[in-house]
């Protein structure tokens, strides 16, 4: 009998064994789990952490990013990031030589493959721990590329993204561990004399990665949306090329730097993770997707390139995981906590000026109005009350910017400026203008509070398109029944990352769950406190469903990881 | 707090609980497991079973298949099956009205979805048990559509296919059971007084199917290759339309009849499984794939339509699982059991005249020859010995037909007739002609024993194309090292379902395992007994790898089932 393959050993296995066990249990139960504290408080991360983060961030500004100089390249650099808060970052990044970079990635694959899933998971966890140690630096990098407010940059760009990374690592690990390394297969049988004579074979199952994976980052959540694909591919053995959005490179440069550092320390090839920066408009993502070496792609971004990817890359046998855009929907039927509901909705609309892929856009309210604990409100009254709640939340400029952040691009600013035109064209009415907010520190930042347009349900031509940024539509429906039917129809056709319902009626809630299941969108019910429809919790909430056009995948289910590796059997008779 | 959804109950749950538990354990451990005895012996299936099977089969012949008359249709029928053994079957099948049939499938979905995975798995198992009870009838149907010999028709078309069906059911069940139905998520926190004040939410996870699935059957293994996709889709909640190969309808008509019968008895809609027969050349598969209702496709067949599917259906967001074609490869280096190795190889080439997608085609032998327990054999000597082994196995017509079966189509017959031309064009030599075998019972059957052509490794133009049927290539290489390199290269580029190696040298076996892992093909080592490279065992051997161009999926791993359903979360605060 041939000895089974030796089990790989690595010092990091022991370091992270407990953490991986805890994460495994959380993923299986979908219970609360967080490895990294979300509070940027000095009591958690230390008195020096915030200052050190600023210092580290500022050290990058105006300089080439030298820590990636060991990537294959010819010495040329690109980089033109401008903070949505105003300042030009002045960081440049070494251009990756694709031929040499992709060859290096391929050459790095066998040793990483043969290290096995447990070692890979432990190395990934070490990478994420080290990224966590740079969370304040990362917060500054995310803030000055995405335009998120600081605390959100810290949380979503730091610990929350890191928790999603751990989730992807553990999902990939568990999936690989479901395949036994080896089995002795024994088929009962008898010889010619009728004595037991089983057929015995040893079967070894070898896990092999797909090949080189590509992660295409986005502008608004450069780390949060890149980490699931990055770590899902890495833990399943695939070298990864990270192509950041040209206006949000720095957070992923830091990420790639840390990954390469840890990989080298752990005895692996740095080429397992590489950064492929590009100048704005260069079209590098497409160039990369058309390279034969690239066989897995994770993409977050606009629907144009996303659909091209789904159509073309998939046709070339590339696995594609996309998150694009949709029309997130809220159905308002009734509430026994009007103040809580309005506050929650206002916050969801306000946070990062609606520039979250999960922010609500369409709020369906029946023309007959809404029963509440403060009495019945007509359609218009409800709109006024929601506008007032937004006003309270964003009325003070200094406080407002800590929620709103800055607008990330001209399209968002143009959307914010278009409420009057939209209302006119749609035969509707501006309920709340998108207020211009002055940033007390960054004079050049364009900061906008959410605005609201009321229109009729018949104007699908207007509200079934994504209007990214601080714009909400109050859609007047005939009834809650119509609201729910419209939710199902529009999400099925146009996609959505989130849906929410407010109702005191169990029958309406049941109908909402059915509508959400039919549409393939996750549902939040009666959120009135400190959980918001825009937010999903790693290990418990699936982000996206893969069941509607907004995204073909979800963070993180088995389908997100199971196809990133394949199983190769070898079998032989044994005595 | 809202009560969790009630757990569905069903009488079949208890009936099949033990069987499902056993199958779960086997799948997790990849150990030997079989629910259905593979022996057609009267001691196993009863003295009357074989005769009853013939009677049941013959009752179909010359008649419309009335048991499917309740499918939506206009009364028109199609059917033109001719047995590869000669007789025209004369069975016609009701044409499915696609508009009404697909609407019925959609309408049947919600109740099937809401029944939950356990009930679906139990109903599926009941269907398979009932199919098993018709195994002798099925064996006749498979024999007279595929041309397989009788015992193989019984085993591969019956119990082995049924075991693969159970495997798919359990794989899909386990995958769905990994998602909890509901969890109370509790995030630690403190109130303003510093007292513990966790945030608690109930999260319900609802499993939803993709939509209507399509299974496209093949001519040679109408049930074995259709069941994994059929049952994987069904157990995950997707209604299925079965589009059989126009020359192998009867085995799937029986299958669909049984499925509909059991579904109706179990309280579900028969429209969950429907047969969509077509006349030869009608192109119904393409018509179906282009219907918006169809969102999952399982396909076994030629690479032409398979590649079209991968390119076009995938681009339309349809999940596609394909098994196409490849060049299965054997590397011969050395052996300590020449007689066993030759016997095993001869059998693999002979079984069903090489018309298995897993049959070997290219046998790499070094020009320096092969060390064996009977001394050193030169390249030509090895060829002669293999030819002799094939001759011994197939020399007696009456015995030979029990292994060879009948040729399934003109392409196979043409390939069998082309050995001289191929050898001439390739500068090679016919080592063994494909002998014409006379069937003692069916005078019209075209039966061919395997032939062998020796050629040089440089003639990739010849041996890297699939030459379906009783044709083997003895490829003369410079060395075993070159044989292994060529295995990896050709499989990576042209695909393969199987690979095998014969060597007494552990270093060669190690190198073969590496080559197989690089190429993404399963490896059988030193098979000299009653296990053949063509055969894979349900629950243990993966059929295909999804890692080379021959197939984009494998029976049955997590990736084959995980994406056939999606998870929809609904969440709400609880006290």
């Amino acid at each position: 009998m041939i000895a089974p393959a030796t089990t790989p050993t690595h010092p990091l296995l022991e370091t992270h064994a407990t953490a991986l066990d805890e994460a495994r249990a959380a993923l299986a139960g979908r219970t609360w789990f967080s490895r990294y504290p979300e509070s940027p408080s000095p009591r958690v991360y230390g008195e020096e952490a915030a200052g050190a983060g600023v210092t580290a961030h500022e050290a990058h500004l105006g300089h080439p990013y030298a820590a990636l100089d060991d990537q294959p390249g010819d010495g040329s650099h690109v980089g033109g990031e401008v903070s949505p808060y105003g300042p030009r970052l002045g960081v440049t990044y070494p251009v990756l030589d694709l031929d040499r970079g992709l060859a290096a990635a391929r050459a790095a694959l066998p040793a990483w493959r043969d290290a096995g899933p447990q070692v890979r998971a432990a190395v990934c966890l070490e990478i994420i721990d080290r990224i966590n140690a740079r969370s304040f630096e990362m917060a500054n990098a995310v803030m000055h590329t995405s335009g998120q407010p600081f605390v959100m940059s810290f949380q979503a760009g730091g610990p929350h993204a890191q928790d999603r990374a751990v989730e992807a690592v553990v999902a990939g690990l568990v999936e690989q561990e479901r395949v036994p390394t080896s089995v002795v297969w024994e088929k009962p049988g008898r010889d010619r004399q009728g004595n037991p004579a089983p057929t015995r074979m040893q079967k070894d199952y070898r896990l092999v990665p797909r090949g080189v994976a590509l992660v295409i980052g986005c502008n608004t959540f450069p780390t949060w949306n890149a980490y699931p694909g990055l770590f899902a591919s890495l833990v399943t053995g695939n070298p990864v090329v990270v192509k950041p959005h040209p206006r949000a490179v720095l957070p992923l440069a830091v990420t790639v730097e840390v990954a390469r550092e840890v990989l080298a320390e752990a005895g692996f090839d740095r080429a397992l993770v590489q950064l492929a920066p590009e100048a704005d408009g260069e079209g590098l993502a497409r160039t990369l997707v058309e390279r034969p070496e690239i066989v897995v792609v994770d993409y977050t971004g606009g629907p144009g390139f996303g659909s091209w990817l789904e159509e073309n890359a998939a046709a070339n046998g590339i696995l594609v995981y996309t998150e694009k855009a949709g029309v997130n929907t809220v159905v308002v039927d009734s509430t026994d906590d009007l103040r809580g509901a309005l506050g929650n909705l206002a916050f969801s609309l306000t946070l990062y000026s609606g520039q979250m892929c999960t922010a609500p856009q369409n709020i369906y309210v029946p023309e007959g109005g809404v029963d509440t604990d403060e009495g019945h409100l007509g359609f218009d009254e409800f709109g006024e009350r929601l506008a007032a709640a937004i006003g309270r939340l964003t009325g003070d400029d200094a406080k407002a910017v800590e929620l709103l952040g800055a607008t990330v691009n001209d399209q968002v600013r143009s959307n914010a400026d278009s409420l009057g035109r939209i209302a006119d064209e749609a035969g509707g009415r501006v309920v709340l203008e998108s207020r211009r907010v002055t940033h007390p520190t960054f004079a050049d930042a364009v900061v906008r509070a959410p605005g609201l347009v009321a229109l009729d349900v018949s104007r699908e031509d207007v509200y079934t398109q994504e209007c990214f940024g601080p714009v909400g539509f109050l859609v007047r429906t005939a009834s809650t029944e119509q609201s729910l039917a419209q939710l199902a129809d529009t999400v099925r056709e146009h996609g959505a990352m989130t849906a929410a319902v407010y109702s005191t009626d169990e029958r309406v809630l049941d109908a909402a769950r059915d509508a959400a299941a039919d549409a393939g969108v996750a549902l939040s019910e009666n959120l009135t406190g400190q959980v918001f429809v825009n937010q999903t919790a790693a290990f418990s909430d699936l982000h996206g469903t893969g069941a509607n056009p907004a995204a073909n995948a979800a963070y993180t289910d088995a389908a997100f990881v199971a196809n990133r590796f394949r199983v190769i059997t070898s079998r032989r008779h044994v005595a």
Side-chain angles (χ1 to χ4, degrees), chain A:
Chain A
M1 177 167 161
I2 295 159
T6 52
T7 307
T9 59
H10 197 282
L12 288 173
L13 279 175
E14 202 184 319
T15 314
H16 295 300
T18 308
L20 287 171
D21 281 346
E22 288 170 1
R24 271 191 196 95
L27 187 71
R30 297 248 162 228
T31 48
W32 180 84
F33 179 77
S34 172
R35 182 164 169 79
Y36 305 107
E38 68 183 355
S39 168
S41 158
R43 289 191 303 280
V44 178
Y45 281 89
E47 293 293 337
E48 315 295 325
V54 171
T55 305
H57 175 66
E58 290 180 346
H60 292 301
L61 305 181
H63 294 292
Y65 200 94
L68 293 175
D69 277 350
D70 57 352
Q71 291 194 165
D74 65 359
S76 64
H77 283 65
V78 287
E81 291 157 294
V82 179
S83 170
Y85 291 94
R88 185 169 286 281
L89 303 199
V91 193
T92 61
Y93 306 89
V95 171
L96 183 68
D97 179 308
L98 295 192
D99 287 337
R100 286 158 56 210
L102 291 170
R106 276 190 167 178
L109 186 152
W112 186 239
R113 172 191 71 196
D114 295 341
Q118 286 81 13
V119 170
R120 285 196 296 270
V123 172
C124 285
L125 223 60
E126 181 67 20
I127 294 171
I128 306 165
D129 275 4
R130 299 267 198 103
I131 291 172
N132 175 253
R134 292 175 73 168
S135 289
F136 277 92
E137 176 188 356
M138 187 64 84
N140 285 278
V142 169
M143 178 178 173
H144 287 292
T145 49
S146 70
Q148 290 176 25
F150 179 77
V151 171
M152 185 180 171
S153 298
F154 181 88
Q155 294 189 330
H160 291 174
Q162 295 150 18
D163 279 341
R164 282 282 177 198
V166 175
E167 179 190 50
V169 167
V170 169
L173 173 61
V174 168
E175 206 59 46
Q176 294 172 88
E177 288 178 332
R178 294 178 69 202
V179 183
T181 306
S182 191
V183 66
V184 174
W185 174 87
E186 189 169 314
K187 180 178 177 178
R190 295 191 177 272
D191 63 18
R192 290 175 189 192
Q193 287 75 44
N195 299 315
T199 303
R200 300 179 81 235
M201 300 193 87
Q202 178 176 329
K203 303 183 181 186
D204 296 338
Y205 303 99
R206 189 161 170 178
L207 307 179
V208 300
R210 287 278 182 177
V212 183
L214 172 66
V215 174
I216 303 174
C218 70
N219 196 170
T220 48
F221 289 89
T223 56
W224 198 94
N225 274 100
Y227 286 2
L230 166 57
F231 285 97
S233 280
L234 203 56
V235 77
T236 49
N238 304 279
V240 181
V241 172
V242 177
K243 205 297 289 172
H245 193 284
R247 294 196 290 275
V249 186
L250 187 54
L252 288 173
V254 172
T255 301
V256 170
E257 178 200 336
V258 173
R260 292 165 62 85
E261 186 181 279
V262 172
L263 283 162
E265 285 175 28
F268 295 100
D269 193 325
R270 290 170 190 265
L272 290 167
V273 181
Q274 297 178 94
L275 190 80
E278 64 172 330
D280 216 346
E282 198 179 301
L284 180 60
R286 186 162 176 158
T287 304
L288 277 162
V289 170
E290 287 171 343
R291 293 284 306 209
E293 297 93 337
I294 300 293
V295 291
V296 181
V297 178
D298 286 87
Y299 169 78
T300 312
F305 189 70
S307 299
W308 179 86
L309 258 183
E310 290 173 359
E311 285 164 26
N312 292 275
N316 293 328
I318 298 178
L319 289 183
V320 178
Y321 304 90
T322 61
E323 184 186 319
K324 300 175 296 182
V327 286
N328 301 319
T329 302
V330 182
V331 170
V332 181
D333 171 71
S334 53
T335 178
D336 57 9
D337 180 3
L338 179 64
R339 192 187 165 82
L342 292 173
N344 189 284
L345 265 180
F347 191 91
S348 283
L349 291 160
T350 298
L351 193 60
Y352 189 27
S353 308
Q355 299 170 111
M356 299 177 75
C357 60
T358 51
Q361 172 178 307
N362 295 340
I363 303 168
Y364 293 111
V365 181
E367 61 189 2
V370 177
D371 281 327
T372 83
D373 55 326
E374 299 183 26
H376 186 84
L377 298 181
F379 175 86
D380 288 339
E381 277 177 291
F382 181 84
E384 300 304 334
R385 292 291 296 266
L386 181 57
I390 294 171
R392 277 195 302 278
L393 201 59
T394 61
D396 178 276
D397 280 7
K399 288 182 186 163
V401 296
E402 299 305 329
L403 295 179
L404 292 166
T407 49
V408 70
N409 62 33
D410 287 340
Q411 181 62 53
V412 169
R413 291 160 206 148
S414 158
N415 289 343
D417 284 335
S418 305
L419 270 60
R421 182 185 54 72
I422 293 171
D424 282 353
E425 288 178 11
R429 168 174 88 79
V430 174
V431 176
L432 178 69
E433 277 291 359
S434 166
R435 191 172 79 82
R436 289 165 192 273
V437 175
T438 304
H439 200 291
T441 317
F442 298 102
D444 293 341
V446 179
V447 183
R448 304 293 294 258
L452 293 172
V453 172
L455 41 67
D456 190 74
V457 68
S458 60
R459 297 309 301 267
E460 289 186 329
D461 55 321
V462 177
Y463 66 84
T464 62
Q465 297 171 48
E466 190 188 48
C467 187
F468 197 66
V471 182
F473 294 118
L474 287 159
V475 182
R476 181 196 301 263
T477 65
S479 62
T480 293
E481 198 180 353
Q482 187 184 40
S483 297
L484 292 173
Q486 198 66 1
L487 176 151
D489 285 351
T490 56
V491 172
R492 215 165 16 220
E493 191 168 350
H494 305 285
M497 298 301 293
T498 62
V501 61
Y502 288 91
S503 181
T504 57
D505 185 339
E506 278 300 325
R507 287 165 306 177
V508 169
L509 294 174
D510 263 343
R513 288 168 205 149
D514 282 345
D518 283 345
V521 65
L523 182 72
S524 294
E525 305 171 16
N526 292 321
L527 296 185
T528 54
Q530 292 305 303
V531 173
F532 303 97
V533 67
N534 333 30
Q535 299 173 325
T536 61
F539 291 90
S540 186
D541 293 313
L542 293 158
H543 173 77
T545 63
N548 72 59
N552 76 359
Y555 306 156
T556 300
D557 60 9
F560 190 67
V561 291
N563 213 358
R564 292 180 195 254
F565 66 94
R566 306 300 308 169
V567 183
I568 309 299
T569 315
S570 61
R571 62 179 183 176
R572 69 204 75 110
H573 287 284
V574 286

